[in-house]
């Protein structure tokens, strides 16, 4: 390593160091799983000293928590981008919202292993469980927001939106786990189509809102 590169690494900010460690932890979980994750493995993977990890994080639980945030933020950011690029109609925004999590980038075994491993970690680590719940709630609130737009367009009831959000969230979690086990494209397509059909059944379009064909 050249002296210039050494200096560049030496003077990185604390925020940059934390981000580097989190990204390395994300990669390590993909390779070995969270149960075998250690500060030493992260240090080896990111080519930084072990002392940097213990300096920037109080323990491995904090590393796991921030890694979970990183993995979830990646999905949320991609979801917002896809919704923004979608048609302005609420139902098309919903399709984009649901479909993002099942795009090739998020169906990779490596990414899903991190999500499944961290779900498992939440069963025995209170701090990770709290973070998992926080991120789940954030995703659900964004889903509710999109469903609310559909409801307003179709004049559904408030209760229907809550029912739909809870049902769809359960469906999405199941689809991710099913894909990790069976890698069945048809199941993904059918599951997402089932979500849309459920929305159309619970929040049917009002007759006057149906777009008439133009001549």
């Amino acid at each position: 390593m050249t002296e210039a590169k050494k200096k560049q690494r030496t003077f990185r900010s604390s925020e940059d160091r934390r981000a580097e460690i989190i990204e390395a932890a994300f990669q390590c979980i993909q390779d070995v799983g969270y149960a075998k994750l250690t500060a030493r493995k992260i240090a080896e993977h990111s080519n930084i000293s072990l002392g940097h990890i213990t300096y920037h994080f109080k323990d491995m639980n904090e590393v796991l928590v921030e890694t979970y945030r990183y993995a979830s933020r990646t999905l949320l950011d991609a979801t917002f981008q896809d919704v923004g690029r979608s048609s302005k109609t609420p139902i098309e925004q919903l399709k984009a919202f649901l479909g993002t999590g099942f795009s090739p980038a998020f169906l990779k075994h490596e990414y899903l292993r991190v999500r499944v491993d961290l779900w498992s970690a939440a069963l025995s680590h209170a701090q990770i469980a709290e973070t998992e719940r926080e991120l789940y709630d954030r995703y659900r609130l964004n889903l509710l927001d999109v469903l609310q737009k559909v409801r307003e367009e179709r004049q559904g009831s408030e209760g229907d939106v809550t029912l739909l959000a809870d049902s769809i969230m359960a469906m999405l979690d199941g689809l991710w786990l099913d894909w990790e086990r069976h890698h069945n494209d048809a199941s993904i397509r059918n599951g997402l189509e089932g979500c849309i059909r459920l929305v159309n059944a619970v929040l049917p379009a009002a007759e006057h809102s149906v777009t008439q064909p133009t001549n």
Side-chain angles (χ1 to χ4, degrees), residues 171-186:
M171 174 72 82
L172 298 182
D173 284 349
L175 286 175
W176 273 312
L177 291 173
D178 186 68
W179 170 263
E180 181 66 355
R181 292 163 58 216
H182 303 300
H183 294 81
N184 189 326
D185 288 322

Side-chain angles (χ1 to χ4, degrees), residues 2-40:
T2 66
E3 288 299 319
K5 288 185 177 179
K6 286 181 179 178
K7 289 181 180 179
Q8 185 179 15
R9 288 179 66 85
T10 301
F11 293 108
R12 296 189 69 182
S13 69
S14 177
E15 183 178 345
D16 287 343
R17 282 292 188 194
R18 282 177 62 89
E20 181 181 24
I21 292 166
I22 291 166
E23 289 176 9
F26 183 80
Q27 295 297 323
C28 283
I29 294 176
Q30 292 181 18
D31 294 338
V32 302
Y34 93 91
K36 295 181 180 179
L37 185 69
T38 64
R40 189 172 300 281

Side-chain angles (χ1 to χ4, degrees), residues 138-153:
R138 186 185 306 171
Y139 190 89
R140 181 178 178 276
L141 282 173
N142 287 312
L143 173 59
L144 276 168
D145 182 61
V146 179
L147 288 170
Q148 179 71 8
K149 293 177 182 177
V150 176
R151 186 202 69 81
E152 290 172 356
E153 181 184 59

Side-chain angles (χ1 to χ4, degrees), residues 110-170:
E110 295 83 3
Y111 179 84
L112 285 177
R113 177 173 187 174
V114 174
R115 290 187 63 88
V116 173
D117 269 5
L118 290 173
W119 280 340
S120 299
L123 297 176
S124 55
H125 297 272
Q127 189 178 9
I128 298 173
E130 181 180 348
T131 302
E132 192 276 333
R133 186 68 200 184
E134 171 195 330
L135 294 169
Y136 176 94
D137 288 344
R138 186 185 306 171
Y139 190 89
R140 181 178 178 276
L141 282 173
N142 287 312
L143 173 59
L144 276 168
D145 182 61
V146 179
L147 288 170
Q148 179 71 8
K149 293 177 182 177
V150 176
R151 186 202 69 81
E152 290 172 356
E153 181 184 59
R154 299 183 175 186
Q155 300 180 348
S157 68
E158 290 289 345
D160 292 336
V161 173
T162 301
L163 179 151
L164 285 171
D166 290 339
S167 299
I168 290 173
M169 289 294 289

